[in-house]
Amino acid sequence: MRTRPYRLAIIAFDEMDLLDVAGTLEVFSTAGRKWNWRAIKAELVSSSPGVRATRAQLQVGPARDFAACPDPELLLIPGGYGARLALEDGALLDYLARVREGLTLTLAVGLGALLAARAGLLQGSEIAASSALEDELIALDPSINVRTDARTFAAPRCITAAQNGAAIDLGLEAVARLLGKSQATGTARELGYPWGTETLAVEILP
């Protein structure tokens, strides 16, 4: 059984969706809490250090620059309009390409899937995304199979959420993958969240 936390890098940029980060992190911080155990250690990283402004007008940070952050095992890419702007961030794309092979799991929400696709993090995967993004995603990586019927989708190397309202579902799917289904179910219960009953999650096992 693993006894050390997973290293999670959260990609930060201006105009990102706050819920994509906050919802997922609330799940991760709740998992293992009653045993006083931190299952996932999160770090906010960006192409330049400092505070980032979310679309909710709340600032988060400070983020560390990529060079100051150990290579992660998990990666969370939030959505929001800022994800489109980040498609032109060469330093960010270089970082994603550098850490790609060492990742256990990539997590992407909403427009964050565009960044993940551009960096080759979704190659050959089925992903959850809105129908409005389907053509763009396939243009970035023709090997992606977009599932517009799924709220979340768990593939072998990535878990995606179609919209930011599914950020909690994404976190619970990640907990189930990394720590076991019973741990995810207990976390959902502690959050008072009806996971597995009112949400749709599709999983393909390797």
Side-chain angles (χ1 to χ4, degrees), residues 51-153:
V51 174
R52 295 288 170 265
T54 69
R55 295 185 74 201
Q57 300 180 355
L58 183 70
Q59 293 186 326
V60 297
R64 301 175 69 187
D65 64 29
F66 300 133
C69 179
D71 285 356
E73 298 166 276
L74 312 175
L75 192 69
L76 172 60
I77 307 177
Y81 178 68
R84 287 194 179 279
L85 301 179
L87 288 170
E88 305 305 320
D89 186 337
L92 171 55
L93 294 173
D94 288 346
Y95 170 77
L96 295 178
R98 178 171 65 80
V99 302
R100 179 174 57 203
E101 294 305 317
L103 292 173
T104 299
L105 205 52
T106 295
L107 310 173
V109 186
L111 289 173
L114 295 175
L115 263 174
R118 177 76 179 269
L121 298 173
L122 305 178
Q123 288 180 357
S125 297
E126 291 188 79
I127 69 166
S130 68
S131 57
L133 290 183
E134 185 172 7
D135 290 344
E136 287 183 83
L137 287 163
I138 292 172
L140 287 168
D141 185 344
S143 72
I144 294 172
N145 182 11
V146 179
R147 292 290 301 270
T148 59
D149 61 335
R151 181 177 173 85
T152 62
F153 201 101

